[in-house]
Structures are given as structure tokens and as C-alpha cells.
């Protein structure tokens, strides 16, 4: 649970938001909140407020009260695409039809008066590696004598399972992990707090509708199974990861914490942001081939900002991702692996072609050799204790509006002293 | 859910089991069962019967009824070491004290009259790689020009996260997975059902007591956090795995199914089977160092049998595993990763030094080049549709008895026809 914000500014009138406000009635992302001293429940963000969705549904005699008056989003996620659309239509009506205004107002809470919680119980967590620029940068850094991309990279979205139990909501402190590391010059591994703690700027996809083991979900099943997206920071201890990673991939370098934004933006709020994926440079097998002229675009034009201690250090563009969320889902299930409500999968680090579009410090600083120059002469190769990293984003909305995705933020706290 | 067995032999009298029966009162493993037409509930195996644990607890006025009258083991797992010992002591009394005999008998169900279910909700699933013989064999097969073990192997238990949502109970059919594969001679990857479907003979450790994110569990915390063990078959599609695995490790080659035995053997039933781990050939960092003279042995002498269509094909010895369950747990949490009730971690494939002690077909057949010769002239490189694989095991018990671990079995069914 993230502590309630402490700023005391006067929240905007939710029924008179400035034009184009990123959390207007065109957005309505879902989260879980608790007013002081009360139990967590599902909320919907409107401007600087959160609407108690189950309470307003009950007050208005809506049949969706039972889906919404819950401590997390899982029942809504499990209800499926038709219910998601119906509930969103109902919510849109409640917050826009003047006759409901006083009822809605009675169930609004200023955002800075509530605590925000992990919005859903995470079932399985898979992390992909879908940015060609990121995968190429890491290839150049770690395997300078080889082709930057492995031979499989353009044939399938490479991914691996992460630790679902350490996914935390934005605002949760991240304890610096300890572990083994070994530089090539070290005669043996040493143990201690990571000295190369990094971020990974990602988008997370939240699965609602489950699927049966032994079946697969085609590309066209994406919108039936995926409820929405969030921002995701896949904190990474590069030194721990580098030593452990052969031959079975990352483990403790990642498993200590993964942060997600408090707000899940439904796919239905992102229609205006959809973009086609980049042209493929190798032919895809049919189950991944999204080149049909009538295929729905499954990429998103998200404008992401990465801040370190309040200074913007990068603006990675999501629209250039090689693999889409629909392809990741089709690949993840093509072997018959089932989906469960609450499954989360991440895009992998988002990096653009430019130096100021990279989504991890290891890329921004080229493995620490070119430290970031922050204000007041401060430099950063990797994260120091006390550093605060914030990812925020918006997407183009209908009629020139913006759809806010909120933020995912976390502060690094020191490793515990070894016993 | 596995279907109820259909054999109709007369079950043994549970109060007059033959001496040394592997499921006598010295064992009492836990599972989840349902009598025909009834709901699943916690059961304890006694001979050829399963005891409805919650019902007998209620009938005898025991305070443990609330922990046991449940649809899975998670509440008992969450209750912690003291409760585990107390419940086991109570159960042992109920099935051995003559005064309780008729009450107990009223709550016994013949095993072949019930269905067995996945005994606990799996939280996170991690698979290790703890057998030196297995890791060396795979190194020789896949990287013949290198040292068989990677440089990190003797410094830390290498492991990775698997898919918790596809863990199934023994008896569940396994659908042959489809996916991409690419032989070195193929110009591009091809798609289709796996043609190199394999098994991995493993032991699974079931976590009961959770731990807080940002803290670690020392070696000495093993028995406080781990409730018991099971048999585990980590089905593996070698062709899919081989193509996808760089640089982030196995994913779809494993995620389609992992089978576990229906019975969880509590650590308290395995005291007589404890053995010291093999001598370490490199010094270990303190958090993994189990060489103190007063350290409790955390290895187990399990006698495992691997059968293919009823013929024994291997007998891998668990006592020789390089890394113990206590070390895997200490490593998995040393970075501050939390534990949740229901976490499952696997030992990795168990292989001995001898050819008839290998735990996977890829080792037994040396990558398919030396097929197994079964009766009636049948040969097997990898698994064919209809094949049934069964892992079974027992451990030395008190006074020369045997502690049965039951079995984990699964039949391969054909991949669905592509749409």
C-alpha cells in the first residue's frame, strides 16, 4: 500500500474540469483506494478525485454494484469484455448526466485524502523484451562481438516469467536488493547490496478473461482477454542479473520488486491512441502475423516520461515497439498455456532510436560509462539510495484530448544491514 | 482434477496395514479429495484410504477443524510450523488410539472412490537446476566445446520462474504443446506440435509461512517456511525451448504444464530420510554455507522410479543433489523477494552418475541418439502421444519403515489440430 499523498491543494471541481484534462470523463481508469480508516474498494479516477464505484452503483440501483463493491478489480476483470463495456458505459453516464451529479458527488474522495493499493491480485507475471532498440542496445553492451539481436528475436516475442508476489503499487519503497555479483576481474563472487540498480520503463497488460489449458488465444482474441494497461517499472539489479543469468535467464536480479501504476486504463479508453506496429523485416508465422489489411492496430501511441528525482531524463516512445500486446498474448498461449484472471505481462523496456528515448539507465549511461548529468552537478550512473524514479504517460484521446495513465513511482531505500 | 481411479480391488484395513506399509500412520501425507458428487476438501492418506481430515476433527471436537475443513491446503500452510506439528500430532493420535477407531472409520473413503485435486493454490513457481549430473549432462549435450557447468553453477543454485497457473495434479492429461522450433539446418523457424517432448523428474518444495518483502530467509529458516515436499514432473518441449531460450531463458518450452503429486509429504515425516548434502568443491558465501558441524542435514534420501508406459526406465537418486531445499530457499529470498503461502519451488531434474539414474529423456537417450529399448521392440527417443509417464518415490522412515511419496503421472494427448 502506498501512503496517502500529503499535499493539500484544493482539488478541481470534477464536473468542471479544464478542457482536455487527462482524467476527464473520456478516461475513467480503475484503481483500488481506501479512505482513511476504511477498507480498500474499487475506485475510478475523475480529475483530482476518486469515485467509490461500488457505492455509487448501489446508490443508483445499478446491477454492477456486486462487481464493483470489492477489495480489488479481479471480479470485474473476470466478468469479461461485454461486462467491461457495459460498466464503462454506465460509469460514463453517471459522471456526465447532470441528474446523477449530486449522487456522484456524495461518493467522490479527493485523491490526496485516500491511500491507493495494488489494484488487482496478480496471477502470473511474464515480462517480454519487445523493443528492438532496447534489445539491440543490450546486445551491443553485453555481446559487442556478435549481432546485437539473437537469431530468434524477430521471429517471436522473447519473454520469461517474473515473480508475481513482489509486484507492488506505485509509491511503495523499493529496498535495494543484495546478492552475488562477480566482475570479470574478481577471482570469486562477492556478496552485498547491488551497486548497479536500474529501472526498466515498461507498459503492463492486465488479463481479465481466463482461457483453458491446452487451448491458445489468437491475435484476434486480444480485446476479449486483455482488460487494460498500466505503467510498469521492472526494477533490475544489473550486477546480480549479469552473474546469475546463464543459462536459465534473469531471477534474483529482477524478483525483488516490480512496480505498477495505481490506475489501470481500460483498452476502451485507448481507441484514439491505436497505431499499427512497425513494418516487420522478416515474415512472421501465421499465429503472429498481424499484416492482414483489415487487422486492427494493436500498438499504442503512448507518450512516456522518465523522471529521476524530479528531473526528466528520458521520453521513450511506445509507438515504435516491434511486438504488440496482441502478439505477446498469442505467443504466450500458443503452447496451450492457460490464462488466469489477474495475469500481468510487461512489454519489456521501451527505448526509442534516440539517446533521450532510452528506458533504462544502463542504456542512458551506456553501462555507467557516461553518467547522467543532473542539476547542481549531480551525476548518476545507476540508482543511489534515496533516489526517486517516476514514470508517467498519456495517450491521445478522442477529439484532441489526452488520456492520462498516471504514474508509477518508487524510492530506493538502503539494503538492510547484513545479520 | 484427476478422474477417480476405476480399479475395484478391496482396500486394506487401515487399522491393520502390513508392517512397513508406505502409507502407515508414520507418514500421513496431505491432499485434497472429493467423494463422488461432493465438494473438494482436505484429506490425509492412510493405506488405501483417505481420511476426511476436517470431518474427523469436527467429530472429535478438535480445534483444528477450521484449518482442515477447507477446499485446499492453503489455510493449513499459512498456519505455520507450530500448527503443522500440532495438527500432525493430533492426526497421528486419531488414527492410532483405539478409542477413536470407529469415529475415524466413519470418515475414511477408499482411494479408488474419490477424485484427487491440486492440493494447494500455487502462488509463485520457481524451478531450480540443482543436480550437478543433470546440469553437466545438459552442458555436454548443448555446449560440447565448453566446460559442462557455467562459472556460476557451484556458487549459487541457478533457477528461474515458471508458470504457476499451469501446475496440475497427477493424473491430468498433458496436451502436446505446439510452438516454434528451428533446427540449425532450417532456414527459418517452423510451427507445429513439439517433436521432442520430454519429462523432468523433480522434487517440489511447498512453502507455507510467508515472509515480508525486503527481508531474507536464512538457511536455518527452512523448516519454519517449508511445509513439505511433493513429486514434480516439469514437462519440457526441448525443441521449443532450444529456439526460444536466448537470452532470457526457458518460457513456452515449459509453461504448458507442470504436474505435481496429489500428496504433500510433511517435512516432519521425513526426519529419518535426512542426509547431508555432498561435499562442496568450492567455498560458499555465508548465506549458502551449510558446512557448519552443527548444521542440520537438509538433503533427503528419496528413492525415485521413473516409468514409461509401465516399464521402469530410470531410478534417479535424490540424495546426491548438490543444492538442498534450504539453500534454494535462502538464495531465492536473499534479495528481499517475499514468500507467499503456496509458493512452490522445484529441485530441477534429478540425475545420478549412472546411465540408469537420469531424470530426463534427453539425458537417457543422449538427445535422442540412443533411443530407449522398451519391451516388444518399442523404442523411444522422446514422448509419443498416448505415452504415460509416472514418477514414484519413497523415503526411509522410522524403524526401517518406508514413507511413500505417492506418484505423479500424466498421459500425453495429441496437440489440437491447428485452426
Amino acid at each position: 500500500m502506498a501512503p496517502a499523498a500529503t499535499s493539500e491543494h484544493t482539488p478541481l471541481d470534477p464536473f468542471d474540469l479544464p478542457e482536455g484534462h487527462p482524467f476527464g470523463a473520456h478516461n475513467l481508469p480503475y484503481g483500488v483506494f481506501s479512505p482513511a480508516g476504511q477498507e480498500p474498494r474499487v475506485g475510478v479516477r475523475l480529475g483530482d478525485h476518486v469515485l467509490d464505484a461500488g457505492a455509487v452503483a448501489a446508490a443508483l440501483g445499478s446491477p454492477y454494484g456486486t462487481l464493483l463493491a470489492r477489495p480489488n478489480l479481479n471480479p470485474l476483470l473476470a466478468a469479461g469484455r461485454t461486462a467491461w463495456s457495459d460498466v464503462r458505459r454506465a460509469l460514463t453516464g453517471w459522471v456526465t448526466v447532470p441528474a446523477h451529479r449530486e449522487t456522484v458527488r456524495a461518493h467522490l474522495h479527493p485523491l490526496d485524502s485516500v491511500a491507493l493499493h495494488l489494484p488487482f491480485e496478480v496471477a502470473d507475471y511474464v515480462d517480454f523484451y519487445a523493443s528492438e532498440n532496447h534489445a539491440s542496445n543490450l546486445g551491443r553492451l553485453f555481446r559487442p562481438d556478435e549481432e546485437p539481436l539473437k537469431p530468434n528475436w524477430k521471429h517471436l516475442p522473447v519473454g520469461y516469467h517474473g515473480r508475481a508476489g513482489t509486484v507492488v503499487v506505485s509509491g511503495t519503497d523499493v529496498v535495494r536488493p543484495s546478492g552475488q555479483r562477480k566482475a570479470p576481474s574478481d577471482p570469486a563472487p562477492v556478496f552485498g547490496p547491488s551497486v548497479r540498480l536500474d529501472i526498466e520503463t515498461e507498459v503492463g497488460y492486465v488479463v481479465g478473461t481466463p482461457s483453458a489449458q491446452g487451448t491458445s488465444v489468437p491475435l484476434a482474441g486480444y480485446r476479449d482477454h486483455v482488460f487494460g494497461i498500466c505503467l510498469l517499472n521492472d526494477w533490475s539489479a544489473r550486477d546480480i542479473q549479469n552473474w546469475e543469468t546463464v543459462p536459465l535467464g534473469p531471477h534474483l536480479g529482477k524478483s525483488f520488486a516490480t512496480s505498477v501504476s495505481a490506475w489501470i486504463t481500460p483498452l476502451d479508453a485507448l481507441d484514439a491512441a491505436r497505431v499499427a506496429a512497425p513494418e516487420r523485416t522478416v515474415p512472421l508465422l501465421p499465429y503472429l502475423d498481424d499484416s492482414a489489411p483489415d487487422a486492427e492496430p494493436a500498438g499504442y501511441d503512448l507518450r512516456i516520461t522518465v523522471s529521476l528525482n524530479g528531473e526528466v531524463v528520458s521520453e521513450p516512445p511506445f509507438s515504435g515497439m516491434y511486438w504488440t500486446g496482441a502478439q505477446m498474448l498469442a505467443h504466450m498461449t500458443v503452447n496451450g498455456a492457460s490464462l488466469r484472471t489477474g495475469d500481468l505481462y510487461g512489454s519489456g523496456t521501451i527505448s526509442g532510436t534516440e539517446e533521450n528515448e532510452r528506458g533504462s539507465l544502463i542504456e542512458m549511461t551506456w553501462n555507467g560509462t557516461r553518467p547522467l548529468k543532473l542539476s547542481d552537478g549531480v551525476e548518476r550512473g545507476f540508482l543511489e539510495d534515496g533516489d526517486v524514479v517516476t514514470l508517467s504517460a498519456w495517450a491521445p484521446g478522442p477529439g484532441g484530448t489526452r488520456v492520462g495513465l498516471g504514474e508509477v513511482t518508487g524510492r530506493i531505500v538502503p539494503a538492510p544491514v547484513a545479520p
Side-chain angles (χ1 to χ4, degrees), chain A residues 219-284:
Chain A
L219 285 175
Y222 168 67
R223 291 178 72 90
D224 288 336
H225 288 274
V226 172
F227 172 81
I229 66 173
C230 60
L231 291 171
L232 186 151
N233 185 348
D234 184 36
W235 306 92
S236 298
R238 300 296 179 191
D239 40 2
I240 296 172
Q241 183 185 348
N242 191 53
W243 169 234
E244 73 180 353
T245 201
V246 286
L248 299 181
H251 182 193
L252 298 182
K254 304 277 195 172
S255 65
F256 55 97
T258 304
S259 299
V260 293
S261 53
W263 301 107
I264 311 298
T265 305
L267 295 191
D268 285 338
L270 294 168
D271 282 343
R274 294 195 295 170
V275 293
E279 201 177 346
R280 316 302 181 179
T281 51
V282 302
L284 293 178

Side-chain angles (χ1 to χ4, degrees), chain A residues 124-128 156-161 205-207 211 215-217 219 222 225-226 287-288 324-340 343-346:
Chain A
D124 270 300
Y125 165 47
V126 170
D127 200 27
F128 284 93
L156 57 85
V158 169
Y160 67 102
H161 281 82
Y205 297 81
V206 181
V207 172
S211 69
T215 68
S216 56
V217 175
L219 285 175
Y222 168 67
H225 288 274
V226 172
Y287 79 97
L288 292 173
T324 70
Q327 289 173 315
M328 297 179 220
L329 188 75
H331 184 64
M332 192 163 58
T333 61
V334 75
N335 67 345
S338 48
L339 299 173
R340 290 183 295 169
D343 280 349
L344 170 69
Y345 61 99

